[in-house]
Amino acid sequence: MGIAPTIKFSACPHDCPSTCALEVECLDSHHIGKVRGARDNTYTAGVICSKVARYAERIHHPDRLLKPLRRSGPKGSNAFEPISWDAALDEVANAFVRAEQKHGSETVWPYFYAGTMGLVMRDGINRLRHAKRYSGQHSTICVTLAWSGFLAGTGKLAGADPREMAKADVVVIWGTNAASTQVNVMTHALRAKRERGAKLVVIDTYRNATAEQADLFVCVRPGTDGALACAVMHCLFRDGFANWDYLERYTDCPRELEAHLKTKTPEWASAISGVPVATIEAFAKLIGQHPRTFFRLGYGFSRQRNGAVNMHAAACIPTITGAWLNEGGGAFHTNGAIFHWDRSLIEGSDLRDPKIRLLDQSRIGAVLTDDADALRGGPPVTAMLIQNTNPMSVAPDLNRVKRGFLRDDLFVCVHEQFMTETAAVADIVLPATMFLEHDDLYQGGGHQHIMLGPKAIEAPGECQSNHYVICELAKRLGANHPGFTLTSREIIDWTLQNSGWGDLANLEAQRWLDVQPSFADAHYVNGFAHADKKFHFAPEWSTLPPQGHGATPDVPQPRLPDHHAVIEESTAEFPFRLVTAPSRHYLNSTFTETPTSQRREGQPTVMLHPTDAARLGLADGARVRLGNTRGELELVVEIFDGVQTGVVISESIWPNRAFAGGLGINVLTGADPAGPLGGAAFHDNRVWIRPV
């Protein structure tokens, strides 16, 4: 009889607000078995996505990078030879020194994102950045638009306890396909349906897995959520559902808002959004009759050029009814503000020089092709260290990104788990650990837990952690900071203690800390987080943090909620609006290597309404080309009536190799920064479609 596996606890590291608490079967010191959700974590509640449940496929994948590699052929040829760790790190450090000697320190650009959400392994790259005065990164590829919109209203990135969805009479899931991308949202929303008879409203651009479970599905044209929100608020004022006692006490200009919304009728919004008048009226009535309505606001609907305005408008709705006063009411987007971390040891923020330029992460194509505006008047980027992201697949304006990476004068080191598209164009590739092979610290974006992810098994081959790479490069580059001399566990312990969360021994014993603020704080009972304690219907967009990044377009935002008509609207030449939505079995470019995910996803497709397909003479399974001024690519048609005419959906960031031209869906997406603070509008693209 075999030895029973040891159960160890961890936290999912991937770029998802759920940050699930995990129970992991450890078969021995090098291998895992099944992965389950921790049943006694009140948010995870024993439920995780199928991708992570089969994590053994990924962590024990035969294609994992196991040795450092040096490029031995032309860039992009995928020709590499093994090299020792010491030789590889020496080569990286020498390349950085040569680049700095020629162009100054800002020529080096450490580039990272959310391949892991662990605070030490994700953000430690900033410690090297600040210590060496390398170019900064304005992180715009995911959250900037959404966070700006929510902050504009509430003043703080926090809201009602997301577990309160289970206590709502109406749950509104707006702009996130939670059944595929945030499974725990569905756990609590469906509990409300089951136990309270609550109604579930889903607002999205197509009938996805979440919409299939809705009592009311509101299918909206991309980028028109602000118009829908305004019409709902018009109805609430018109029909006597506005809570005037609440509005006068808690908001900045309710009378002005009411007057502004007089013309924002359901008919007006229907013409813009494509949502039937009757649906808008029914949605507004449901909210008005049920003050215990919980708005779970996602990221997807903010990925438009007017995304911040749309997010703000949606957050205004529960404020009209005073839903914030009720348990099971109000709004939630993310809990980032409740953790009050002291990140100085992790990030070396005490060394940050505010005069060093910030380069826009989303404009990496423009940066690497020497666009003067993108470079903010500074030197070219000639050396990069890349961790936790795959810009040769996930960055917008992908044709330009590729041109930039193929520059002969650009040195690139990529620290990765697999030979991604970005690793394939690197000069040095370093093998990285996965989350069960190192210690790290996590916070929930979609919930309220601080979580420990302790090392559970040994890493295969010569894989090393992000922290190891940063510290070893610091030695070679003469970078000094206490964080370079400590282990990841020591950094975790210091960070916990200096942030007021106890010590590592305590977290290790408890596995996670529930740090949910009081009801009064979470629901802003004592006032919102602006200086005047009011919810702002008329935001001061120009004062939102962060300032001084140089990525803001010169487009004024509307004073009050509205349809901000700055989206890439369809034209006769480009008659279709394209949304590049996430899929169920991939996560950005992660899990695209696992066999089960590949089998379940099948092939890249474009969802096309039957009316549009008939007009183009296309049958299900036909091959078509999609294109615009940025590029074009080939896809297979999936005829689908769960989308508006003139709108097409392509799910997931498939590997570039899945496309005939060798580049994926982001050849069609734009990298121009959206207001007010920048951000990539991944779901805001117009295209033509032609049969192959």
Side-chain angles (χ1 to χ4, degrees):
M1 182 177 293
I3 299 173
T6 302
I7 302 299
K8 295 187 179 181
F9 295 91
S10 190
C12 179
H14 289 288
D15 188 8
C16 163
S18 289
T19 319
C20 292
L22 303 178
E23 299 174 359
V24 182
E25 288 185 353
C26 293
L27 306 181
D28 55 39
S29 61
H30 288 83
H31 298 89
I32 68 165
K34 296 178 180 178
V35 180
R36 294 181 288 269
R39 285 158 288 192
D40 52 345
N41 180 281
T42 55
Y43 187 74
T44 300
V47 179
I48 60 171
C49 69
S50 59
K51 299 184 289 289
V52 175
R54 55 177 185 270
Y55 213 85
E57 274 191 26
R58 188 167 196 274
I59 202 166
H60 302 311
H61 198 291
D63 292 341
R64 275 193 71 176
L65 293 170
L66 299 177
K67 293 177 178 294
L69 302 171
R70 176 170 53 199
R71 179 167 60 86
S72 59
K75 282 198 174 187
S77 65
N78 213 19
F80 292 92
E81 61 187 10
I83 186 175
S84 72
W85 263 102
D86 280 339
L89 291 167
D90 288 346
E91 195 160 321
V92 175
N94 290 335
F96 284 11
V97 169
R98 289 194 303 270
E100 183 174 355
Q101 288 172 342
K102 185 174 183 179
H103 296 288
S105 66
E106 290 181 321
T107 195
V108 182
W109 192 21
Y111 190 93
F112 76 108
Y113 205 54
T116 177
M117 298 295 278
L119 303 188
V120 177
M121 301 301 167
R122 182 188 66 194
D123 301 330
I125 193 172
N126 286 322
R127 195 181 331 122
L128 184 65
R129 182 197 313 279
H130 298 324
K132 291 295 297 176
R133 296 167 56 85
Y134 294 152
S135 281
Q137 176 179 294
H138 180 37
S139 295
T140 57
I141 215 158
C142 182
V143 301
T144 306
L145 287 160
W147 287 6
S148 298
F150 197 84
L151 275 169
T154 63
K156 185 168 69 172
L157 285 174
D161 186 336
R163 293 169 294 193
E164 288 182 31
M165 279 183 284
K167 300 177 181 179
D169 294 326
V170 176
V171 177
V172 179
I173 298 177
W174 198 323
T176 182
N177 183 9
S180 293
T181 63
Q182 295 185 61
V183 65
N184 305 109
V185 170
M186 301 306 293
T187 297
H188 301 284
L190 295 178
R191 183 180 163 198
K193 280 175 65 80
R194 185 174 62 251
E195 296 180 2
R196 298 178 55 84
K199 300 298 183 184
L200 175 61
V201 180
V202 174
I203 303 167
D204 217 313
T205 53
Y206 70 117
R207 193 179 66 240
N208 50 39
T210 308
E212 292 280 3
Q213 301 181 64
D215 298 289
L216 176 64
F217 171 47
V218 182
C219 188
V220 64
R221 289 190 77 243
T224 64
D225 303 79
L228 171 65
C230 285
V232 169
M233 290 188 282
H234 167 95
C235 295
L236 294 173
F237 279 115
R238 181 198 66 193
D239 297 339
F241 292 122
N243 185 334
W244 278 105
D245 289 341
Y246 183 86
L247 287 167
E248 296 288 5
R249 179 180 174 187
Y250 283 98
T251 71
D252 59 346
C253 56
R255 300 291 175 180
E256 182 184 357
L257 178 66
E258 182 188 29
H260 165 73
L261 293 171
K262 289 285 188 183
T263 60
K264 311 300 182 185
T265 63
E267 290 77 12
W268 167 84
S270 180
I272 295 168
S273 67
V275 179
V277 170
T279 301
I280 297 173
E281 293 278 5
F283 179 31
K285 185 176 181 181
L286 195 63
I287 294 167
Q289 291 180 339
H290 298 91
R292 199 183 298 269
T293 295
F294 193 106
F295 283 74
R296 181 60 176 86
L297 304 174
Y299 287 96
F301 78 111
S302 73
R303 292 185 179 134
Q304 305 280 336
R305 287 168 178 80
N306 58 6
V309 173
N310 294 341
M311 172 63 77
H312 172 254
C316 289
I317 298 175
T319 312
I320 301 293
T321 63
W324 289 101
L325 294 176
N326 301 295
E327 187 178 30
F332 179 81
H333 172 60
T334 184
N335 250 339
I338 72 172
F339 299 104
H340 50 76
W341 294 113
D342 181 341
R343 298 173 181 262
S344 57
L345 196 60
I346 294 173
E347 298 196 33
S349 51
D350 50 319
L351 300 178
R352 181 178 178 271
D353 182 347
K355 296 189 293 294
I356 296 295
R357 67 179 176 182
L358 283 174
L359 300 178
D360 188 338
Q361 171 193 37
S362 297
R363 302 188 70 197
I364 183 173
V367 167
L368 295 185
T369 53
D370 293 341
D371 180 284
D373 177 65
L375 289 169
R376 302 198 62 199
V381 168
T382 61
M384 298 183 73
L385 170 64
I386 299 176
Q387 291 183 322
N388 311 324
T389 188
N390 182 19
M392 268 289 291
S393 177
V394 305
D397 201 4
L398 193 54
N399 274 316
R400 196 170 186 182
V401 174
K402 180 181 179 181
R403 291 199 302 273
F405 270 111
L406 293 182
R407 277 173 37 209
D408 288 331
D409 67 332
L410 175 67
F411 176 88
V412 178
C413 172
V414 173
H415 186 204
E416 253 297 355
Q417 298 161 346
F418 292 92
M419 184 58 75
T420 64
E421 292 91 342
T422 309
V425 296
D427 298 279
I428 295 290
V429 179
L430 303 174
T433 50
M434 292 191 185
F435 77 106
L436 292 170
E437 299 160 357
H438 56 239
D439 297 295
D440 215 337
L441 176 66
Y442 301 88
Q443 68 178 49
H447 56 85
Q448 59 292 307
H449 290 99
I450 291 170
M451 310 173 79
L452 183 66
K455 180 178 178 179
I457 59 172
E458 297 298 323
E462 299 177 33
C463 295
Q464 294 285 359
S465 72
N466 291 4
H467 181 60
Y468 173 86
V469 169
I470 296 302
C471 294
E472 288 297 313
L473 285 176
K475 291 178 190 175
R476 290 163 169 80
L477 292 164
N480 296 307
H481 188 273
F484 294 132
T485 66
L486 301 175
T487 68
S488 55
R489 288 179 65 84
E490 289 169 332
I491 291 176
I492 292 168
D493 189 39
W494 186 96
T495 301
L496 286 165
Q497 292 191 54
N498 285 270
S499 304
W501 298 123
D503 59 15
L504 175 57
N506 177 58
L507 179 58
E508 201 151 29
Q510 296 197 46
R511 294 176 285 155
W512 52 76
L513 306 176
D514 184 343
V515 300
Q516 175 63 36
S518 68
F519 177 90
D521 285 345
H523 287 254
Y524 301 102
V525 174
N526 299 317
F528 286 87
H530 294 293
D532 61 3
K533 301 293 186 181
K534 306 286 190 180
F535 183 97
H536 285 184
F537 293 131
E540 294 289 343
W541 293 105
S542 63
T543 65
L544 292 176
Q547 298 297 315
H549 48 72
T552 306
D554 188 20
V555 179
Q557 308 300 297
R559 171 174 163 75
L560 293 164
D562 213 329
H563 171 59
H564 191 28
V566 294
I567 57 176
E568 194 172 276
E569 192 53 88
S570 56
T571 64
E573 184 180 3
F574 305 103
F576 293 95
R577 296 263 293 144
L578 168 68
V579 172
T580 56
S583 68
R584 190 181 192 97
H585 300 289
Y586 295 155
L587 177 56
N588 300 322
S589 67
T590 305
F591 295 100
T592 58
E593 68 284 326
T594 55
T596 303
S597 289
Q598 291 174 345
R599 184 174 68 252
R600 292 180 178 178
E601 288 297 331
Q603 63 181 338
T605 65
V606 58
M607 299 179 187
L608 191 63
H609 192 277
T611 300
D612 291 325
R615 182 170 53 82
L616 294 171
L618 296 169
D620 202 60
R623 300 199 71 85
V624 293
R625 293 196 71 77
L626 275 68
N628 56 24
T629 57
R630 303 178 193 102
E632 57 184 80
L633 81 170
E634 194 171 305
L635 287 165
V636 171
V637 169
E638 180 182 346
I639 295 179
F640 175 64
D641 65 1
V643 68
Q644 291 194 27
T645 57
V647 176
V648 294
I649 310 292
S650 184
E651 288 189 332
S652 189
I653 302 175
W654 284 79
N656 291 339
R657 64 180 180 274
F659 298 86
L663 284 178
I665 196 69
N666 280 318
V667 301
L668 302 174
T669 60
D672 50 303
L677 299 172
F682 281 102
H683 302 339
D684 186 358
N685 310 284
R686 58 187 172 212
V687 296
W688 48 255
I689 300 178
R690 298 168 188 162
V692 171

